[in-house]
Amino acid sequence: MSRHLILDNPGVRRAGLFLTALAVVVLAILPVFVVERGQEGFVTNSLLFNFTQMFMMIAMAASWNLTGGFTGYVDFGHAVWFGIGAYGTGVFMTKVGLSFPVATAGGVVVSVVAALLIGSATLRLRGPYFSIAMLATFVATREIIRIAKPLTDGGEGMTLPPYLNRPLFFYVTLILAVLVVAMTWWLRRTQFGATLIAIREDEIGADMRGINTTLHKITVFAISAAITGLVGGLWAYQNTFIDPDIVFIERRTLDIIIATILGGLGTVAGPVIGSVVFYWLRDLVWSHFLHYHLIVTGGLLIALVLWVPEGIVGSLSDRSGATPLSRLLHRNREEQSEDDLIETAGGSDPDGTES
Amino acid sequence: MSGSTILEGRGVLKNFGGLCAVDQVDFRVDEGEIVGLIGPNGSGKTTLFNCITGVEKVDGGEILFKGENITEDKPYQIARRGLARTFQVIRVYRDLTVEENLLLSRQWGEVPTLRSFTQADPSLHDKAAEIADFLLLGHHLHEKAGILSGGQRRLLELGMTLMPDPDLILLDEATSGINPTLIQTIKDRIREMNGRGLTLMLVEHDIRFISDLCDRVIVLNYGKKMADGTPDEIKSDERVLEAYFGDDGGSDVD
Ligand SMILES: Nc1ncnc2c1ncn2[C@@H]1O[C@H](COP(=O)(O)OP(=O)(O)OP(=O)(O)O)[C@@H](O)[C@H]1O
Ligand SMILES: [Mg+2]
């Protein structure tokens, strides 16, 4: 009955896990071999920087996947948490004078509080309405940051105390990415994780079976915002300068979404595989066709949605739970009911016997 | 057989635009009863279930469950009070395994707590396995519900109502598309559960199924309650025969 694809093989899955662990170990010793500018060698500071950005993308994609992939709420404004985390950290460091760890923790708290407030409004909307509301939230927040000059220095931007330590950011983001992915793996196996999938599959049904769907949605939304807020804080400190236009760019959300869809929406491995492939692909496109990179990115997204809607993991596995984006956006109960009706009407008559 | 009232509707009214789907219906279900709800297609049976379970907001009247007014409650709150149901249009979680579907239907903690971030108790796994076995789904326990056939999904839905140990179960055409032998098993199981104190309300088009099981039958027609009595009374009611069976007066409607 079920197709047997390469990733359904337990051996292949185990090998994949082993290779991932190996890759993490290799990455962990990479900074030891870093060469200074002008010296010969493969491990340059710029390579470390690129990896740091990739780890951030993995952490953000995995956290976006919690709401977008598992729960079925496709967030088009997810980078708003990145921005709030970055600005929270910036404000706490420069205006309040807190140390970096405390300031970042503060930034995460602000992200979570904002997510609880915004989520309790936007998560009442479904399908494309939620997506658009989040995009609007993102744009509005950017403008609020611009206007709130006394706090954020508005459009002039803010300079954080410079701290140049590439290996440190490398390690912190590597550990963060590993922890976040491990957490999504474990979440999926808990009762909470199953509840999220139930909400994605049939929210009204979950409601009628005694699940307070609103509370579960808001909780996962806040978890997701906390992770991305933390990434924002790290990014701000690493970049030393933030202003509304470099922090709040729509492309940041788009990149996370593309990476997740490319890997496999709603799977644990999807955001990791997708981010790794997409990050270096984007880097390649940037270095060779800078002027066309948005066209290439857009083309990639269209190709994905058309031909590999279930992503890399989804198309190589039957058990992954990968969900095409279209299914999430058209989560209109009427349509789904009709689906079911046709399905049962077609198959219900003589085939009462079961396998 | 019957005790105090467990579910009561007073003047329940539901309009869809100009259409009155449930028209001031008064009804009562007593503890320990099996009550049938019948009526022609479009007579408002499913809509009445939707009103009871809070999915549709009523436009008038009130509904009491175990003596408490649940008219304004949200669906999940009503479920938590001990009222479970199945759906005419099947609603199982296709991307979850049969076991996960069952485990999720037991109405665990309302608020996500630390315990939500663990796996379910072994005793619940045992219970899920037992229910799956009874419904002949034991072999599929760890497979996704999406691969089940239409009939198997119906059985799974039935199992999902059993998980939380409810006081009242509403079944909306729970046996359509299921093979006759199994229907007999389900009948037996319903009787058995009823014997242990579970109250049921059934929507079915199979009159034999209804008259075999039910203590009482409520008949809806164009949203109005047109009869309420024992199966024998209903079967000999002229108006019911007229409305339900039309001219040919057959014994089965499909
Ligand atoms: N969401 C809705 N919007 C508009 N009209 C509706 C809606 N749901 C039901 N109706 C209408 O209400 C009436 C009663 O429908 P309902 O589904 O309750 O009938 P039923 O007795 O369950 O029929 P069946 O035996 O075919 O299942 C029908 O005329 C139907 O078209
Ligand atoms: Mg119906």
Side-chain angles (χ1 to χ4, degrees):
Chain A
M1 183 175 261
S2 51
R3 307 171 289 156
H4 271 286
L5 297 166
I6 183 160
L7 281 183
D8 293 328
N9 182 330
V12 173
R13 289 175 93 95
R14 231 172 292 135
L17 206 59
F18 175 75
L19 285 178
T20 311
L22 193 68
V24 171
V25 171
V26 170
L27 284 171
I29 50 178
L30 210 55
V32 176
F33 302 103
V34 70
V35 292
E36 288 311 313
R37 196 183 293 275
Q39 281 179 284
E40 284 287 309
F42 175 66
V43 188
T44 59
N45 267 313
S46 120
L47 184 75
L48 288 193
F49 174 79
N50 269 317
F51 271 119
T52 305
Q53 305 306 302
M54 186 187 88
F55 300 150
M56 288 183 181
M57 187 187 269
I58 292 175
M60 288 195 287
S63 83
W64 183 87
N65 190 39
L66 287 176
T67 34
F70 288 176
T71 323
Y73 277 74
V74 179
D75 182 351
F76 281 173
H78 189 71
V80 73
W81 314 123
F82 177 94
I84 292 177
Y87 263 95
T89 305
V91 169
F92 283 129
M93 281 185 92
T94 59
K95 307 276 156 157
V96 188
L98 298 178
S99 68
F100 170 69
V102 183
T104 325
V108 171
V109 171
V110 177
S111 300
V112 169
V113 172
L116 293 174
L117 293 174
I118 292 167
S120 47
T122 56
L123 286 166
R124 289 173 203 284
L125 304 168
R126 302 230 171 121
Y129 302 101
F130 168 79
S131 308
I132 303 291
M134 284 312 300
L135 186 57
T137 303
F138 172 83
V139 174
T141 308
R142 178 171 55 204
E143 294 319 305
I144 291 169
I145 298 279
R146 219 192 293 278
I147 293 163
K149 248 188 149 144
L151 198 63
T152 63
D153 297 342
E156 282 161 33
M158 210 173 220
T159 306
L160 282 71
Y163 182 75
L164 224 116
N165 188 340
R166 286 256 155 81
L168 181 84
F169 285 113
F170 177 91
Y171 280 121
V172 170
T173 51
L174 171 63
I175 292 168
L176 180 67
V178 170
L179 286 182
V180 170
V181 174
M183 188 198 70
T184 56
W185 175 84
W186 161 72
L187 257 191
R188 174 61 191 85
R189 270 146 195 81
T190 64
Q191 306 172 83
F192 182 77
T195 309
L196 301 183
I197 309 278
I199 291 172
R200 175 183 84 197
E201 291 294 297
D202 179 4
E203 187 166 346
I204 297 172
D207 193 358
M208 281 190 279
R209 289 182 179 114
I211 293 171
N212 185 343
T213 55
T214 312
L215 271 179
H216 283 81
K217 287 187 291 186
I218 292 176
T219 306
V220 73
F221 198 59
I223 293 174
S224 169
I227 298 166
T228 301
L230 179 55
V231 173
L234 289 167
W235 186 89
Y237 196 35
Q238 176 210 256
N239 202 55
T240 64
F241 177 75
I242 52 175
D243 78 22
D245 291 318
I246 59 165
V247 169
F248 288 88
I249 39 178
E250 282 87 353
R251 212 205 57 234
R252 211 182 300 281
T253 308
L254 192 63
D255 285 354
I256 304 167
I257 298 178
I258 293 176
T260 312
I261 298 176
L262 175 64
L265 206 55
T267 66
V268 174
V272 183
I273 296 173
S275 296
V276 172
V277 174
F278 179 68
Y279 186 84
W280 296 109
L281 198 68
R282 194 188 62 178
D283 191 60
L284 201 74
V285 173
W286 265 351
S287 50
H288 292 277
F289 333 86
L290 185 60
H291 296 295
Y292 308 109
H293 81 268
L294 272 177
I295 299 177
V296 176
T297 319
L300 178 66
L301 182 60
I302 293 171
L304 269 176
V305 171
L306 283 180
W307 291 302
V308 236
E310 294 178 339
I312 297 170
V313 178
S315 56
L316 296 179
S317 156
D318 205 34
R319 314 183 317 182
S320 62
T323 317
L325 183 66
S326 56
R327 207 170 117 198
L328 298 184
L329 286 175
H330 291 285
R331 235 168 27 112
N332 198 325
R333 189 58 212 174
E334 263 89 58
E335 277 176 37
Q336 216 189 326
S337 310
E338 234 164 307
D339 247 23
D340 285 342
L341 215 54
I342 291 162
E343 234 173 282
T344 29
S348 67
D349 239 341
D351 79 339
T353 47
E354 78 295 318
S355 60
Chain B
M1 189 88 200
S2 57
S4 57
T5 302
I6 186 166
L7 180 71
E8 188 178 0
R10 295 180 189 149
V12 178
L13 177 72
K14 179 70 199 174
N15 295 313
F16 290 116
L19 179 95
C20 193
V22 176
D23 195 353
Q24 316 224 23
V25 173
D26 293 306
F27 66 94
R28 201 192 74 243
V29 178
D30 288 339
E31 237 168 74
E33 263 191 319
I34 303 182
V35 173
L37 180 62
I38 64 170
N41 291 123
S43 55
K45 305 179 295 292
T46 299
T47 307
L48 183 59
F49 273 11
N50 287 343
C51 293
I52 296 170
T53 49
V55 210
E56 297 283 6
K57 279 231 152 303
V58 297
D59 296 312
E62 53 183 20
I63 297 163
L64 295 112
F65 180 57
K66 295 198 273 197
E68 287 173 77
N69 193 330
I70 58 165
T71 323
E72 296 298 319
D73 278 12
K74 297 201 170 72
Y76 78 88
Q77 293 169 321
I78 296 173
R80 279 171 187 286
R81 288 175 182 274
L83 202 163
R85 72 172 287 191
T86 66
F87 305 91
Q88 183 169 4
V89 176
I90 303 174
R91 309 187 95 120
V92 296
Y93 311 119
R94 288 183 273 189
D95 271 352
L96 293 178
T97 65
V98 167
E99 185 180 43
E100 284 174 317
N101 269 275
L102 289 166
L103 287 174
L104 265 187
S105 308
R106 67 169 206 285
Q107 299 164 9
W108 53 290
E110 170 174 345
V111 183
T113 60
L114 282 182
R115 267 197 61 212
S116 337
F117 296 96
T118 61
Q119 299 192 346
D121 288 346
S123 65
L124 285 163
H125 284 270
D126 292 346
K127 184 170 183 183
E130 189 191 311
I131 289 176
D133 276 342
F134 159 62
L135 295 168
L136 310 184
L137 294 170
H139 295 305
H140 298 293
L141 198 58
H142 298 291
E143 291 193 78
K144 287 205 174 133
I147 68 142
L148 299 180
S149 73
Q152 288 173 322
R153 290 186 203 187
R154 280 218 182 277
L155 293 172
L156 175 55
E157 265 211 337
L158 191 61
M160 289 164 82
T161 65
L162 300 179
M163 273 306 280
D165 289 320
D167 301 307
L168 173 65
I169 295 185
L170 312 181
L171 300 179
D172 197 347
E173 303 194 18
T175 61
S176 77
I178 291 179
N179 79 54
T181 349
L182 201 49
I183 290 185
Q184 189 54 49
T185 321
I186 289 175
K187 245 190 219 174
D188 295 342
R189 182 69 175 204
I190 286 178
R191 276 209 195 89
E192 185 193 322
M193 292 184 310
N194 179 243
R196 280 192 256 139
L198 181 71
T199 311
L200 292 112
M201 195 169 179
L202 327 166
V203 168
E204 278 300 332
H205 282 299
D206 178 354
I207 275 297
R208 227 167 306 123
F209 188 86
I210 289 282
S211 52
D212 281 359
L213 274 177
C214 297
D215 304 302
R216 203 152 52 76
V217 179
I218 297 170
V219 187
L220 288 183
N221 193 25
Y222 292 110
K224 283 196 164 60
K225 185 166 99 169
M226 72 179 310
D228 186 339
T230 64
D232 288 337
E233 283 166 14
I234 295 299
K235 277 195 275 190
S236 54
D237 188 316
E238 287 288 324
R239 290 174 313 148
V240 175
L241 292 177
E242 175 70 24
Y244 205 91
F245 305 115
D247 296 323
D248 57 346
S251 68
D252 211 302
V253 177
D254 220 276

